[in-house]
Amino acid sequence: MATSMSGLEIRGPIKPGFEEILTPEAMAFLAELEGRFGGERLRLLDVRTKRQALLDQGHKPDFLPETRAIREADWTIAPLPVDLLDRRVEITGPVDRKMVINALNSGAKVFMADYEDATCPTWTNLVEGQINIRDAVRRTISYEDPASGKKYRLSDKTAVLKVRPRGWHLEERHVLMDGEPMSGALFDFGLHVFHNAKELLARGSGPYFYLPKLESHFEARLWREVFLVAEEYLHLPHGSIKATVLIETILAAFEMDEILYELREHSAGLNCGRWDYIFSFIKKFRKDPAAVMPDRAEVTMATPFLSAYSQLAVKTCHRRGAPAIGGMAAFIPVKDDLQANEAAFSRVRADKEREASNGHDGTWVAHPGLVQVAREVFDAYMPTPNQIARKRTDVTVAAADLLAVPAGPKTEAGLRNNVAVGIGYIEAWLRGQGCVPLFNLMEDAATAEISRTQVWQWLHTGTALDDGQAVTLDLVDRVIAEELSAWKARVGADAYAKGRYADAASLFRDLVAREDFTDFLTLPAYERVVAEGA
């Protein structure tokens, strides 16, 4: 049954407690945002499509000549709030109740509550997530595990909260304006800032955000306009909304200065979202046989194109008085295997040492068990709250450095891992889970996208594996069938029957086999979730 409020039609069920979030006043604010900015969002998405057509024709991105003056001028972002000066370890995770409590209690400086890659956007997940964040802001949040009876509450000292709304490309199909879905980004942002901005400011913090998957400074400009309207509408101090932009698309890497400039009154720096960045590189140059990546496991931050991207982000941010946060270590603690656990921690430590020595002002982890090792590294390398004073004037990065395709093996083992991860992640997503541990790594939409997109690229560019096998649809079909059987053996017949493995394999196969590339696997997956009433 649909509910209408303030010109918006709510098609999701209003479960107990939802009415406290989806109030008439909040929906009026969402209607204001969608009415003002929904059209520009769609226009910018059309610009993405046109830019992709140029890339498909062989065009390569470069630093923009028309914004040279911005890059060469001396300017800085507005001063940072006190609680965003030290961000040496940030933890990310979905917005379910237990995870929110554990992340805030983890010992990290910042918790990014994620409505995007780590959350499957079912109606229940999203609105309950807003309830959970509201309660966390007011420190009333608690949780009792129904299985164990264990109770969870906030510690006295908790991480600073940041929220990542969905990207500009995602819609909220449960809320319509004039019969069309509203922006998922505006839905997530709007409800959080409406309910929590004043409370956060009263508690000495503020409404802080992460902005995902931007492809240009024009998309950052749209966010700035959203922030200005939100501050005026809600009577918030000018510039109190702060946002860190994830540089996680290859196109955005050429516009770091411009993105910071657009958001300079609201900027909290940039973050190297490495997994989406790798996905973006493959996706944008997917039709170029010269841009074929090696096995996913070979594409580490030590590869030249990622090292250049990391150091350019540091140099750009520090020149502008902004923090540059490092990327996600996908490794997680390995229970019941001491040797594998030690190897995982060793690789996390090496990764964080590389980031800290490059000059990053903090880093990301995906699991509370990794907060300490990351903090130890940054404590050793960064005794001050941040490294913004370290300007990295020694760094010079050209377009060719950002576009250098890494060398490395292309193996059947790599193909099989991509297929196994793709099936395992999509299966969890179809059940409403946005992040899931697979093969001792924390997989979210970004990491799974690398696997899916790499198979598409290998298949559609006629890539040959190192053993001489051509990546054909017959080979991919055989591997999908074999990895589907492997999943059944891993989880057991009962769990397999109750799960969505066959559906996941079918969707994965469709995504990699089709000639027209699907920009995000979450788009068709979301269609299925909505069709099933979730």
Side-chain angles (χ1 to χ4, degrees), residues 127-342:
V127 184
E128 286 186 351
Q130 294 283 348
I131 293 170
N132 297 337
I133 297 302
R134 177 203 63 187
D135 293 349
V137 167
R138 290 157 180 80
R139 298 189 60 85
T140 60
I141 189 171
S142 63
Y143 176 76
E144 182 172 342
D145 191 312
S148 66
K150 184 177 179 181
K151 297 179 180 179
Y152 297 80
R153 288 184 174 82
L154 291 181
S155 303
D156 290 339
K157 184 175 177 58
T158 57
V160 174
L161 176 69
K162 292 177 76 79
V163 165
R164 177 162 70 171
R166 282 169 285 178
W168 284 132
H169 63 290
L170 293 168
E171 299 173 335
E172 180 45 64
R173 292 294 185 91
H174 299 93
V175 181
L176 309 183
M177 172 175 271
D178 298 326
E180 296 296 325
M182 76 169 292
S183 160
L186 295 178
F187 179 85
D188 302 336
F189 163 82
L191 287 178
H192 175 63
V193 77
F194 181 87
H195 289 292
N196 301 313
K198 289 181 180 178
E199 184 72 24
L200 285 162
L201 288 165
R203 291 173 178 269
S205 189
Y208 304 149
F209 293 89
Y210 260 104
L211 305 181
K213 295 182 175 57
L214 299 190
E215 295 194 7
S216 74
H217 68 284
F218 296 108
E219 296 181 13
R221 180 179 298 171
L222 178 57
W223 271 118
R224 181 192 71 193
E225 292 169 355
V226 170
F227 294 164
L228 290 172
V229 166
E231 287 173 345
E232 181 181 6
Y233 188 103
L234 299 173
H235 306 292
L236 304 175
H238 177 71
S240 58
I241 297 174
K242 297 295 183 184
T244 304
V245 172
L246 287 141
I247 301 299
E248 52 185 356
T249 68
I250 182 63
L251 299 181
F254 289 91
E255 301 185 34
M256 293 189 204
D257 269 310
E258 293 88 336
I259 288 169
L260 286 173
Y261 184 79
E262 291 292 342
L263 289 164
R264 59 196 181 279
E265 296 173 314
H266 296 97
S267 180
L270 305 177
N271 174 294
C272 286
R274 63 176 71 168
W275 303 114
D276 261 309
Y277 190 79
I278 297 168
F279 158 52
S280 171
F281 192 104
I282 301 171
K283 176 171 71 171
K284 291 301 179 184
F285 308 128
R286 58 187 179 249
K287 293 190 176 181
D288 183 358
V292 175
M293 291 270 190
D295 288 358
R296 189 184 97 159
E298 300 294 322
V299 187
T300 69
M301 290 303 291
T303 56
F305 87 112
L306 290 176
S307 178
Y309 146 73
S310 166
Q311 295 189 64
L312 179 60
V314 171
K315 178 182 181 180
T316 304
C317 284
H318 289 183
R319 183 184 176 199
R320 308 306 182 186
I325 307 301
M328 172 70 75
F331 294 97
I332 56 177
V334 184
K335 296 179 180 178
D336 305 320
D337 189 334
L338 181 60
Q339 187 174 358
N341 191 60
E342 289 178 350

Side-chain angles (χ1 to χ4, degrees), residues 361-478:
D361 303 287
T363 190
W364 271 15
V365 296
H367 192 284
L370 295 175
V371 169
Q372 183 176 343
V373 64
R375 187 175 60 232
E376 287 172 355
V377 169
F378 272 83
D379 285 350
Y381 281 78
M382 192 176 77
T384 51
N386 55 63
Q387 301 189 76
I388 294 174
R390 189 179 166 203
K391 300 304 180 186
R392 290 309 310 265
T393 54
D394 57 307
V395 170
T396 301
V397 174
D401 300 316
L402 296 174
L403 298 173
V405 181
K410 303 174 187 69
T411 67
E412 183 176 322
L415 175 63
R416 287 186 175 279
N417 182 69
N418 283 336
V419 171
V421 167
I423 293 172
Y425 180 76
I426 293 171
E427 190 279 332
W429 207 94
L430 293 175
R431 289 187 290 104
Q433 235 180 305
C435 62
V436 60
L438 299 174
F439 311 114
N440 299 330
L441 296 174
M442 187 63 77
E443 302 281 352
D444 68 3
T447 56
E449 284 284 29
I450 300 173
S451 293
R452 185 267 302 198
T453 306
Q454 184 161 68
V455 175
W456 190 97
Q457 187 187 43
W458 284 3
L459 177 61
H460 292 272
T461 55
T463 296
L465 301 178
D466 288 2
D467 62 6
Q469 289 186 93
V471 180
T472 63
L473 190 55
D474 284 345
L475 175 60
V476 171
D477 280 340
R478 174 168 63 83

